Amino acid sequence: MSRPWEADPETDFKRRLGKSALELGATNSGPECPDIWELENGDIAVIGRDLTASLGSRLPDGVSVGLDERLVVIPRNMLIAAKADIPNV
């Protein structure tokens, strides 16, 4: 069965949303994760810590992680910093 949305492996990165992990104090060395990026096709890429194994078993009812998906966590201040870069529509 095909899904209504599929991630496009051919798209490229367009722009960072918000600030880098270094700017937010989420890392103290180089440009490492976490990060949030808008892709050329309009989709969003999130780089974060993979907590699928630990949080995946405690998901709320009606929520699941597909076999080709991962549950990633980013710092709260990173999403707040990206808010201004995310369009309302």
Side-chain angles (χ1 to χ4, degrees), residues 61-81:
D61 289 341
V63 179
S64 64
V65 178
L67 293 176
D68 60 346
E69 299 173 332
R70 297 292 173 264
L71 187 156
V72 299
V73 175
I74 61 172
R76 184 177 195 275
N77 66 343
M78 180 163 276
L79 186 59
I80 290 169

Side-chain angles (χ1 to χ4, degrees), residues 24-60:
L24 293 170
T27 185
N28 56 10
S29 63
E32 299 169 344
C33 73
D35 222 333
I36 306 171
W37 283 82
E38 179 180 359
L39 302 175
E40 288 289 338
N41 68 357
D43 287 346
I44 305 300
V46 177
I47 302 169
R49 299 280 168 82
D50 182 355
L51 294 186
T52 307
S54 58
L55 291 178
S57 62
R58 302 193 318 253
L59 290 168

Side-chain angles (χ1 to χ4, degrees), residues 5-41:
W5 173 83
E6 287 292 342
D8 178 4
E10 302 299 320
T11 193
D12 286 315
F13 290 86
K14 181 177 180 181
R15 67 184 177 121
R16 172 179 280 123
L17 300 180
K19 298 179 179 181
S20 72
L22 194 56
E23 291 174 287
L24 293 170
T27 185
N28 56 10
S29 63
E32 299 169 344
C33 73
D35 222 333
I36 306 171
W37 283 82
E38 179 180 359
L39 302 175
E40 288 289 338
N41 68 357

